[in-house]
Amino acid sequence: MSSAANFKRICVFCGSAPGVRPAYAEAARELGRVVAKRGLGLVYGGGAVGLMGIAADAALQAGAEVIGVIPHGLLKREVGHGGGVEMHVVDTMHERKAMMADLSDGFIVLPGGFGTLEEAVEALTWAQLGIQAKGVVFLDVEGFWQPFLKTLDFMQVEGFVRPGQRPLAMQAATVEEAIDKLAAFRPPPEVLPWLRPHQA
C-alpha cells in the first residue's frame, strides 16, 4: 500500500515495439513527462527500443530518475538503454519482474504484446494473493485494453475471478488519471496479506 509520502516510483510495463498507432508512442512520451513533472521515478524493462525506450527517453529528458532492469539474454536483443539510466542486469525474467516490483510503488500498463500482458497479469495475481499491495492500472490508449478487460469481466461472470477482486485491474484514459489511481490505491478488504513461514 502506498501513501502520498512513500509513493515515489512507477513501474511501466509496455511493448518493445512502438505499435502501429502513433497514439501509443505519444502515451509513452506523456507517461515519461508526467512522471517527471510529479517528481516521481520510472522503473521499466531496461530496453532502448519500442514504447520502453520512448517512455524512458521522455522521462530522462524531463529530469526524472529512470531505473532499468533487464536480463542478460535480452540485453543485446532489446538494446539496453545507455546514458542516464540506472541499469540493473539480472539473470532471469523472474528476477527482472521481482526487482521491478521491489523498486516501484505501482504499475502502469501501456500497450504491448505477450511479455507486457504476462508482467501485468503476474502483478495482478500478486495483488490478488496479497503478496504485494500495489495498484495495477491499464492505460487504455484508443481502447487497446478493452478486449482484455472484457475477458476479465467474463472470468468474473463464470466464477473464476471474485467480484471483490476484479477491481484490482484498474483502467484509465489518461496518464494523469492512471497516476492518481495508483497513488490512491488500497487493496480490497477481502485481499488478505501473504503470510511468510515465520508468520504462520
Side-chain angles (χ1 to χ4, degrees):
M1 181 182 319
S2 295
S3 68
N6 62 22
F7 187 74
K8 297 177 180 177
R9 295 192 191 116
I10 290 172
C11 177
V12 60
F13 298 138
C14 58
S16 58
V20 298
R21 301 191 193 192
Y24 301 152
E26 183 49 42
R29 286 189 200 95
E30 181 70 4
L31 176 61
R33 290 192 294 257
V34 175
V35 162
K37 183 181 78 173
R38 293 206 178 190
L40 300 169
L42 184 73
V43 177
Y44 84 116
V49 295
L51 298 187
M52 284 198 297
I54 292 169
D57 286 342
L60 284 170
Q61 289 165 10
E65 171 196 45
V66 179
I67 301 174
V69 185
I70 193 166
H72 287 285
L74 289 181
L75 191 56
K76 299 289 187 185
R77 229 184 283 181
E78 292 184 356
V79 192
H81 204 291
V85 172
E86 178 187 321
M87 190 70 71
H88 297 265
V89 181
V90 297
D91 290 334
T92 68
M93 294 290 281
H94 297 293
E95 289 179 70
R96 179 197 218 180
K97 291 179 291 183
M99 182 175 284
M100 289 169 75
D102 287 344
L103 289 170
S104 60
D105 302 302
F107 308 91
I108 291 179
V109 191
L110 291 178
F114 292 156
T116 300
L117 184 59
E118 186 262 345
E119 290 168 332
V121 170
E122 182 162 278
L124 285 172
T125 302
W126 290 357
Q128 178 189 45
L129 295 174
I131 295 171
Q132 58 95 352
K134 302 169 185 178
V136 181
V137 179
F138 291 82
L139 188 58
D140 195 31
V141 184
E142 296 200 356
F144 181 88
W145 288 114
Q146 285 306 303
F148 172 70
L149 295 169
K150 287 175 182 174
T151 297
L152 297 185
D153 292 337
F154 183 68
M155 289 176 178
Q156 177 184 320
V157 168
E158 294 300 307
F160 293 104
V161 173
R162 294 179 184 172
Q165 294 177 345
R166 168 62 184 85
L168 288 169
M170 300 181 285
Q171 64 176 304
T174 68
V175 172
E176 297 276 7
E177 180 188 4
I179 295 176
D180 287 343
K181 286 188 172 184
L182 287 185
F185 175 75
R186 298 294 181 272
E190 69 179 71
V191 174
L192 301 176
W194 185 259
L195 294 181
R196 269 63 180 185
H198 70 278
Q199 298 172 308

